[in-house]
Amino acid sequence: MVTTVAQHILSTLTASGVRRVYGLPGDSLNGFTDAIRRSGDITWEHVRHEEAAAFAATAEAALTGRLAVCAGSCGPGNTHLINGLYDAQRTRVPVLAIAAHIPMNEVGTGYFQETHPQDLFRECSVYCELVSTPEMAPRLVEIAMRTAVEENGVAVLVIPGEVFLGRLPDREWNIRPVLPTRSVIRPDDLSLRRAADILNWGSRVTILGGAGTAGAHAELIQLAETLNAPIVHAFRGKEHIEYDNPFDVGMTGLLGFASGYKAIKEADVLLMLGTDFPYSQFYPEDARVIQVDIRGSHLGRRTPVDLGLVGDVKDTIEALLPLLSPKTDRTHLDRSLNHYRRTRKSLDSLAVNDRDRTPIRPEYVAGVVDRLAADDAVFTFDVGSPTIWTARYLTMNGRRRLSGSFTHGTMACALPHAIGAQTAFPGRQVVALAGDGGLAMLFGELLTLVQSNLPVKLIVFNNSSLNFVELEMKAAGVVNFGTELKNPDFGAVARAMGIFGRRVEQPADLEQAVADAFAHDGPALIDVVVARQELSIPPAISAEQAKGFTVYAIRTILAGRGDELLDLVSTNVARRILD
């Protein structure tokens, strides 16, 4: 039988477990989308912007661990994909991008919508190749899928429109499923012995875990119990580490807690497990450092390490545990746990209805969402202040999931990530914690929720500003500029689109509004007017940051904006004195 290249590609995707493609149609994609129309196995998930297609595929791949697929037409369709593909690449999840191309005989002529996709996508992919003839397609499709799956990254296939329609006999496309392999990956015995010697020597061992601890929760807890070690987690490790963990002392870093920072700074041995935590100022100065990572290139690139180990965290811990001498001294652990309890109590004291004062505290919003959301909810979040409230106030329990732009740090990801999450998990509650700026960037994707009947619940932190940027400006001693947002009533806009929408300005109305949204059978949006000047202080303030805040205050007064400074004081200082 002779079949089109597009149909062969879909057969290979189907055999490999792919069930959908996210994208926006275009003439150069016609051969591919028409094959999907004819297919009974793969659906076309239509979005309003190709960036959203890549974001949605990123979320699906991150939450399922399986290959996800997005597609864009030639020229602008390709360039729109790029930011979402950067997100996937830096999140290290398997995504295949189908990038349609102009006709091959027009390449190099300055043709309509001409770009050079291999150059465009090279930095945000682990594999990027042009399929210039139908005969090239079988091998390149398999190589692209295999590379994406095994290297957990983005693979891009650049395919001219006429190649999709090219025909190949079935015998020339020998379909085999492309599925991830599973291997035992751990350091050699000598390296494990060296690691055990360092850990047995240490009297104040602290563990810092990241996303690489996924699937190793039981082993991690056993390791901490053996070493009497507090466990600090990076943000991407939150969902894998935080729950059912008597050794948890919170996060560190710009989003984290003083207790996590302190547990690391006071360690004489720091054991890093599956984390590429980027902020060097939060590492200890004098501790001996052991780092375990599946990627050898990550070893020592954030802080100097005494011993680098390449291995899967679960496999490595299992091999390491028999070599360790159980510790009996709990001084370091108990001190860290006590500090965490105090820090957690202080943070939770802010997540309350502050005597019906307005604007509403964003911490209170996050606390209400956490309390009312389902036990197996999937949360997505925008970069900016929603990231802070997600990190500090959403409770993980081993069933809840998190999806966001942890490493690439892009705005506008909460809604399209939620589209991917809800599409992949139609029976689960998906809650997007969106910033007003991030939501507005890809506002059209609200229409995707309606068109695809996706019951995503959006909580909008509406502070009429690019709030986190303002905080960065304050720390740098810069008067806030260019961060003001003139927002509509997002709830009214949602209703106009056919979405359950409500605006909340009074704290007393918040809980019922969130409960109603969660109970609604369909997409829902709650627009919450929150305090603009709420400060989210990192666990350690540098002298430069302290100086920056002082300079900011002086410059703000000199700029004739003393009311902004008074608002900052009343929102943060006065509230805490009254508390």
Side-chain angles (χ1 to χ4, degrees):
M1 184 176 179
V2 178
T3 311
T4 67
V5 167
Q7 289 173 305
H8 280 302
I9 293 173
L10 292 178
S11 295
T12 304
L13 293 175
T14 299
S16 304
V18 174
R19 293 295 175 262
R20 61 194 65 87
V21 177
Y22 300 93
L24 198 67
D27 61 345
S28 55
L29 266 177
N30 282 346
F32 187 64
T33 52
D34 189 60
I36 292 176
R37 180 184 67 82
R38 298 168 183 271
S39 170
D41 300 308
I42 288 184
T43 60
W44 177 253
E45 302 299 334
H46 182 65
V47 296
R48 300 304 175 106
H49 193 290
E50 288 90 352
E51 181 181 3
F55 276 139
T58 300
E60 179 179 328
L63 294 166
T64 65
R66 299 191 298 269
L67 182 70
V69 183
C70 60
S73 57
C74 67
N78 283 348
T79 56
H80 285 169
L81 283 172
I82 286 178
N83 190 50
L85 293 183
Y86 263 102
D87 189 32
Q89 176 73 357
R90 303 202 69 197
T91 305
R92 299 194 300 274
V93 293
V95 169
L96 174 68
I98 305 293
H101 200 15
I102 65 171
M104 275 304 299
N105 63 349
E106 298 290 354
V107 172
T109 69
Y111 191 71
F112 177 64
Q113 295 188 328
E114 181 174 2
T115 60
H116 294 86
Q118 299 99 300
D119 296 330
L120 286 172
F121 294 116
R122 184 164 290 119
E123 189 176 84
C124 63
S125 64
V126 292
Y127 184 85
C128 181
E129 286 296 341
L130 170 67
V131 183
S132 57
T133 68
E135 290 74 22
M136 294 172 64
R139 291 181 65 192
L140 295 192
V141 168
E142 181 169 355
I143 291 170
M145 293 173 64
R146 176 63 63 191
T147 305
V149 166
E150 294 300 339
E151 295 192 23
N152 281 311
V154 172
V156 182
L157 285 173
V158 180
I159 307 178
E162 70 272 20
V163 174
F164 284 122
L165 297 172
R167 293 180 173 272
L168 284 176
D170 287 352
R171 65 179 179 275
E172 293 186 23
W173 198 302
N174 193 3
I175 294 173
R176 293 287 187 275
V178 178
L179 302 171
T181 59
R182 174 70 176 107
S183 303
V184 174
I185 306 172
R186 68 166 182 84
D188 69 342
D189 292 344
L190 178 59
S191 298
L192 287 169
R193 181 72 265 172
R194 290 176 61 199
D197 289 343
I198 295 172
L199 292 168
N200 289 333
W201 165 85
S203 60
R204 301 185 307 278
V205 179
T206 295
I207 297 170
L208 172 61
T213 61
H217 187 270
E219 291 77 12
L220 178 64
I221 299 302
Q222 186 179 355
L223 177 65
E225 184 176 20
T226 301
L227 297 171
N228 274 336
I231 302 176
V232 182
H233 59 267
F235 190 16
R236 282 195 67 194
K238 177 180 172 72
E239 65 174 311
H240 309 298
I241 293 174
E242 189 177 67
Y243 69 97
D244 296 340
N245 184 352
F247 304 95
D248 178 39
V249 296
M251 288 177 56
T252 187
L254 299 174
L255 309 176
F257 314 153
S259 53
Y261 172 81
K262 183 179 174 67
I264 288 178
K265 285 293 185 178
E266 293 184 352
D268 59 9
V269 176
L270 177 65
L271 176 58
M272 299 170 61
L273 297 175
T275 180
D276 193 34
F277 177 72
Y279 303 108
S280 58
Q281 65 268 37
F282 292 95
Y283 285 99
E285 287 92 15
D286 301 318
R288 301 178 73 179
V289 179
I290 303 170
Q291 183 178 2
V292 179
D293 202 289
I294 199 73
R295 295 170 176 82
S297 60
H298 287 190
L299 300 176
R301 72 175 183 173
R302 305 305 183 188
T303 190
V305 299
D306 296 272
L307 180 61
L309 304 174
V310 173
D312 173 82
V313 170
K314 178 182 172 71
D315 296 338
T316 301
I317 293 177
E318 287 178 341
L320 181 61
L321 278 169
L323 306 177
L324 297 176
S325 302
K327 296 186 184 297
T328 57
D329 185 355
R330 288 180 52 97
T331 303
H332 175 56
L333 173 61
D334 288 338
R335 185 165 54 239
S336 299
L337 290 171
N338 288 334
H339 195 284
Y340 174 59
R341 279 189 283 269
R342 294 194 300 272
T343 302
R344 187 71 257 174
K345 183 179 179 180
S346 176
L347 288 170
D348 291 342
S349 71
L350 302 176
V352 296
N353 177 352
D354 187 25
R355 302 173 181 85
D356 283 334
R357 287 190 179 90
T358 57
I360 301 169
R361 282 185 173 177
E363 300 97 327
Y364 179 47
V365 178
V368 168
V369 170
D370 179 58
R371 184 157 36 85
L372 297 183
D375 285 344
D376 66 345
V378 179
F379 297 98
T380 69
F381 56 90
D382 263 331
V383 163
S385 56
T387 302
I388 302 169
W389 316 131
T390 296
R392 295 183 179 179
Y393 292 103
L394 294 189
T395 305
M396 297 294 103
N397 58 10
R399 299 176 64 204
R400 287 178 166 182
R401 300 296 310 275
L402 280 180
S403 181
S405 187
F406 294 95
T407 305
H408 188 46
T410 176
M411 290 176 64
C413 63
L415 174 54
H417 270 235
I419 289 170
Q422 192 73 82
T423 304
F425 299 107
R428 291 176 71 168
Q429 183 186 73
V430 176
V431 182
L433 276 63
D436 47 358
L439 177 63
M441 268 191 177
L442 284 175
F443 206 50
E445 297 309 322
L446 288 173
L447 296 169
T448 299
L449 299 184
V450 177
Q451 181 164 323
S452 299
N453 194 29
L454 298 173
V456 169
K457 317 303 180 187
L458 285 109
I459 309 297
V460 184
F461 289 77
N462 185 353
N463 47 40
S464 297
S465 67
L466 300 175
N467 186 246
F468 199 79
V469 177
E470 290 189 335
L471 179 61
E472 293 169 330
M473 287 179 172
K474 291 179 176 73
V478 176
V479 176
N480 291 158
F481 176 76
T483 56
E484 180 86 22
L485 298 176
K486 280 192 172 294
N487 290 327
D489 178 338
F490 289 117
V493 175
R495 291 194 297 274
M497 292 181 173
I499 296 172
F500 175 100
R502 190 174 297 174
R503 183 177 175 90
V504 178
E505 298 180 0
Q506 300 298 323
D509 299 332
L510 177 65
E511 188 159 338
Q512 188 61 55
V514 173
D516 290 346
F518 285 177
H520 179 69
D521 184 19
L525 183 152
I526 304 298
D527 177 16
V528 188
V529 179
V530 297
R532 178 172 180 172
Q533 300 292 353
E534 191 81 5
L535 287 178
S536 51
I537 305 298
I541 303 293
S542 70
E544 285 298 313
Q545 287 172 322
K547 177 183 175 182
F549 273 105
T550 303
V551 173
Y552 154 77
I554 295 170
R555 288 176 175 169
T556 298
I557 292 172
L558 292 176
R561 288 163 54 180
D563 56 338
E564 179 183 311
L565 197 61
L566 287 173
D567 189 24
L568 179 71
V569 172
S570 64
T571 300
N572 295 276
V573 179
R575 282 178 172 179
R576 284 150 179 79
I577 290 174
L578 288 170
D579 286 341

